[in-house]
Amino acid sequence: MPRSPAWTHDELLLACALVVENGWNELREGDLRVLDLSDLLRSLPIHQGAARTIPKFRSIGSVSRKTSDLASNHPAYVGTPTRGGRLDREMISAFIARPTEMLLAAAALRQGVGTGELYTIPPDPDELDEEGNSAVEGRLLARWALHRERNRGLRARKIAQATKLGRPLQCAVCDFDFGSAYGDLGVGYIEVHHQLPLHVSGLRETKLDDLAFLCANCHRMCHKSRAGESWRTPSALRTEMVKSASRPAPGREAPDA
């Protein structure tokens, strides 16, 4: 009989949210919240239908055991922790460092499942970073965010608004202008980025002021994940660029004051 696949970031996000809401304590098999999470995990559009082919996939017992892993590997846990895994520890650290943000991310993921919207969005390679890892907040939320930003209607309306107001179509981070760089080929081209992530904005109609113009490079950097972080605002990315520019180049010493 095939074994259940390893837990993903999305699944651990939902499980750890329950543990946090339970005071960083495990949830037993008889807890209705465990039954609810088991049903939810079996319905997620990941693992290519494992729920249909593996009877014990994300069973009540396996969900309860995972809450034990997450609770007992917390640094403040008194006793012998269960084995757990690297992703468990990463998720625990993320919830300790950013509890409000992570709980909002779990709520947004549940909301996307509840509305059925996440089931209609196809996978996208840009959900993953260069190492093939998904963001701490979850691959499905990254998929959803990218899908929203590629809404051609929204992008066209944002560009039309800027044109009407006489504003340049240039990157909000690095000021790159496709028209200036590529002539007629680049005129009118720019990408858009939501200035608030899904877990902050929630499910609401996107306003044009929610969007920022970005070049392709800066857009990628706004979405690039790294330890404990998977999304950043254009202003935060600009700060990163300024900090980087102030550092001496490799192999060169900073000039004397």
Side-chain angles (χ1 to χ4, degrees), residues 122-136:
D124 189 309
D126 286 341
E127 298 162 17
L128 309 179
D129 64 18
E130 286 76 2
E131 286 74 44
N133 301 311
S134 61
V136 168

Side-chain angles (χ1 to χ4, degrees), residues 149 154-155 158 190-194 211-214 219:
E149 291 180 348
L154 272 179
R155 177 178 169 275
K158 179 70 174 176
I190 196 75
E191 297 184 8
V192 298
H193 175 69
H194 277 78
L211 304 172
F213 290 135
L214 292 180
H219 197 183

Side-chain angles (χ1 to χ4, degrees), residues 13 33 77 84 87 97 110 112 134 136-137 140 145 161 171 177 194 200 219 223 228 236 249 252-253:
L13 172 66
R33 292 171 294 180
Y77 181 77
L87 291 184
R110 279 185 174 271
S134 61
V136 168
E137 283 78 1
L140 293 176
Q161 179 196 56
C171 179
D177 185 308
H194 277 78
V200 173
H219 197 183
H223 279 287
R252 298 182 184 176
E253 295 184 358

Side-chain angles (χ1 to χ4, degrees), residues 180-194:
S180 297
Y182 300 109
D184 291 343
L185 180 64
V187 170
Y189 182 80
I190 196 75
E191 297 184 8
V192 298
H193 175 69
H194 277 78

Side-chain angles (χ1 to χ4, degrees), residues 243-254:
K243 285 167 52 181
S244 178
S246 68
R247 299 188 190 107
R252 298 182 184 176
E253 295 184 358

Side-chain angles (χ1 to χ4, degrees), residues 25-205:
N25 294 307
E26 67 175 322
L27 287 85
R28 302 300 179 109
E29 292 186 26
D31 194 312
L32 291 179
R33 292 171 294 180
V34 172
L35 174 60
D36 172 72
L37 182 56
S38 173
D39 288 341
L40 178 61
L41 296 180
R42 289 175 61 83
S43 76
L44 290 180
I46 52 180
H47 295 310
Q48 300 179 336
R52 295 191 300 272
T53 58
I54 305 175
K56 293 186 177 181
F57 172 73
R58 303 304 180 254
S59 64
I60 294 173
S62 68
V63 171
S64 177
R65 285 193 296 274
K66 182 52 65 180
T67 68
S68 297
D69 292 338
L70 294 166
S72 66
N73 280 275
H74 188 285
Y77 181 77
V78 177
T80 304
T82 61
R83 184 174 180 181
R86 178 181 60 84
L87 291 184
D88 295 347
R89 292 186 288 274
E90 285 184 7
M91 190 60 64
I92 292 166
S93 296
F95 268 94
I96 292 172
R98 301 176 288 140
T100 300
E101 183 179 352
M102 298 303 288
L103 287 170
L104 285 172
L109 183 52
R110 279 185 174 271
Q111 190 175 32
V113 171
T115 62
E117 189 162 354
L118 282 174
Y119 297 98
T120 66
I121 303 172
D124 189 309
D126 286 341
E127 298 162 17
L128 309 179
D129 64 18
E130 286 76 2
E131 286 74 44
N133 301 311
S134 61
V136 168
E137 283 78 1
R139 181 173 59 131
L140 293 176
L141 286 184
R143 180 185 303 179
W144 196 0
L146 289 164
H147 180 75
R148 290 196 314 165
E149 291 180 348
R150 288 167 183 168
N151 183 316
R152 293 184 179 181
L154 272 179
R155 177 178 169 275
R157 285 168 51 205
K158 179 70 174 176
I159 289 175
Q161 179 196 56
T163 302
K164 182 179 179 180
L165 296 174
R167 296 172 181 169
L169 299 183
Q170 65 184 36
C171 179
V173 176
C174 69
D175 298 327
F176 183 84
D177 185 308
F178 283 89
S180 297
Y182 300 109
D184 291 343
L185 180 64
V187 170
Y189 182 80
I190 196 75
E191 297 184 8
V192 298
H193 175 69
H194 277 78
Q195 301 195 65
L196 289 177
L198 272 167
H199 59 270
V200 173
S201 67
L203 273 180
R204 63 178 176 83
E205 183 179 356

